């Protein structure tokens, strides 16, 4: 590709950067240094962005796609512990500390995404207090999702977990149809194919979703929220707050606790 084409591609990626909340929250000076280096990435559903233990050269910022973080066990089985949409990024731990990925990262929902060289983000993290606060706040929020997911996978039923996951995907897909097979859902939820099939049939029988030949459409959003465990709302509230200044987030948390 010639230099002019490269410049056009980077310019388009930079123009779309605001569709990622984390990139949009960077200060003007950081954006001026980062934007020229953003590169659009197109990957298919299920594509591996990075294997567990792999070295990262880039951080990935979804702009409509969703990335899934999978914990991989010795026998090769894997289960989702978190997912990342346009609110965040994959690779920030590498930008802050090491360059190794703790998880396998795959594409869970196809869509737009840009990537940025790790070295550039490391420099911003080192030199900007705002970037440090932003990256640490997001990383703590992502960790809270991991912890909530671990509890959810241990305590809640396959049907409750499926409803939680569908709500999260429905948020990120902005109401579009979801295309997933039972096998893919079983892999993501860490459940066997039969239990996932029964759960999908139950949710469909209740009129909450339509599921036909691997295509899922949410028909009753309030009903799906009611059928889900509390984990969906807890994680959503935390992500809604992570871009706020720490003092505001603490005050909001104290207010909620006082109402309970």
């Amino acid at each position: 590709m010639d230099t002019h084409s490269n410049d056009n591609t980077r310019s388009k990626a930079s123009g779309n950067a605001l569709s990622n909340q984390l990139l949009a929250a960077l200060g003007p000076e950081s954006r001026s240094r980062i934007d020229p280096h953003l590169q659009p990435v197109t990957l298919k559903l299920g594509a591996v962005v990075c294997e567990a233990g792999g070295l990262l050269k880039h951080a990935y910022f979804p702009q409509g796609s969703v990335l899934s973080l999978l914990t991989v066990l010795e026998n090769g089985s894997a289960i989702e512990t978190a997912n990342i949409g346009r609110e965040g990024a994959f690779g920030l731990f590498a930008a802050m500390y090491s360059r190794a990925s703790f998880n396998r990262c795959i594409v869970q929902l196809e869509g737009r995404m840009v990537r940025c060289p790790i070295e550039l983000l490391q420099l911003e993290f080192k030199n900007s207090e705002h970037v440090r606060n932003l990256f640490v706040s997001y990383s703590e929020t992502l960790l809270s999702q991991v912890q909530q997911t671990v509890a959810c996978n241990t305590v809640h039923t396959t049907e409750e977990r499926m409803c939680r996951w569908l709500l999260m995907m429905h948020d990120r897909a902005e109401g579009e149809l979801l295309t997933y097979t039972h096998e893919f859902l079983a892999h993501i939820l860490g459940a066997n194919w039969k239990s996932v099939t029964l759960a999908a049939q139950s949710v469909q029988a209740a009129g909450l979703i339509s599921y036909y030949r691997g295509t899922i459409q949410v028909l009753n959003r309030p009903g799906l929220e009611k059928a889900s465990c509390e984990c969906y709302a807890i994680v959503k509230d935390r992500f809604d707050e992570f871009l706020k200044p720490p003092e505001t987030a603490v005050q909001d948390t104290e207010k909620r606790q006082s109402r309970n």
Side-chain angles (χ1 to χ4, degrees):
M1 185 179 290
D2 61 25
T3 303
H4 181 68
S5 298
N6 255 325
D7 290 342
N8 283 340
T9 300
R10 293 177 194 276
S11 176
K12 290 178 181 179
S14 170
N16 288 331
L18 288 177
S19 65
N20 179 279
Q21 294 176 24
L22 198 58
L23 284 176
L26 294 173
E29 292 185 359
S30 294
R31 287 292 305 278
S32 68
R33 289 186 289 266
I34 288 174
D35 283 2
H37 300 276
L38 296 177
Q39 301 172 329
V41 181
T42 303
L43 295 172
K44 296 294 185 181
L45 175 68
V48 176
V49 178
C50 186
E51 279 289 358
L55 294 179
L56 281 163
K57 296 182 179 179
H58 299 85
Y60 295 80
F61 297 83
Q63 298 176 322
S65 59
V66 177
L67 301 177
S68 175
L69 301 185
L70 303 175
T71 296
V72 183
L73 302 179
E74 193 175 70
N75 64 3
S77 62
I79 185 171
E80 180 180 275
T81 52
N83 52 59
I84 300 167
R86 68 172 75 243
E87 76 289 337
F90 168 64
L92 291 193
F93 281 117
M96 292 189 295
Y97 302 112
S98 69
R99 296 189 62 165
S101 174
F102 300 114
N103 309 94
R104 175 185 295 161
C105 177
I106 68 170
V107 176
Q108 191 179 91
L109 182 71
E110 292 182 31
R112 295 192 313 276
M113 176 168 52
V114 294
R115 69 182 189 180
C116 179
I118 287 291
E119 291 89 348
L120 185 58
L121 295 174
Q122 285 176 331
L123 284 175
E124 293 300 318
F125 182 77
K126 179 181 178 180
N127 298 321
S128 169
E129 182 180 3
H130 175 68
V131 171
R132 284 196 296 274
N133 289 338
L134 188 63
F135 283 12
V136 169
S137 177
Y138 173 72
S139 297
E140 288 180 339
T141 303
L142 188 64
L143 179 59
S144 74
Q145 184 188 166
V146 172
Q147 293 172 328
Q148 195 70 39
T149 302
V150 169
C152 185
N153 289 340
T154 304
V155 176
H156 296 138
T157 66
T158 302
E159 184 173 326
E160 289 173 325
R161 290 161 53 202
M162 176 180 288
C163 291
R164 167 186 61 82
W165 187 85
L166 288 173
L167 286 166
M168 295 177 74
M169 291 303 101
H170 191 246
D171 289 343
R172 271 77 178 270
E174 298 180 338
E176 295 295 322
L177 296 177
L178 304 173
T179 306
Y180 297 109
T181 64
H182 284 180
E183 289 80 5
F184 187 86
L185 288 173
H187 178 62
I188 290 294
L189 295 174
N192 61 58
W193 182 87
K194 183 177 180 180
S195 63
V196 167
T197 299
L198 292 174
Q201 290 173 346
S202 176
V203 176
Q204 181 168 249
L208 306 182
I209 65 169
S210 169
Y211 187 87
Y212 182 70
R213 292 186 177 179
T215 301
I216 303 172
Q217 181 177 11
V218 174
L219 301 177
N220 183 347
R221 170 82 190 206
L224 198 62
E225 291 181 4
K226 188 175 181 180
S228 172
C229 52
E230 71 271 21
C231 298
Y232 167 74
I234 290 173
V235 172
K236 186 178 186 303
D237 286 347
R238 185 65 182 89
F239 273 98
D240 287 344
E241 288 179 354
F242 92 89
L243 289 176
K244 296 180 182 180
E247 296 82 5
T248 305
V250 170
Q251 291 170 3
D252 287 351
T253 300
E254 290 175 346
K255 287 179 182 178
R256 286 201 309 274
Q257 289 175 345
S258 65
R259 290 197 299 265
N260 293 336

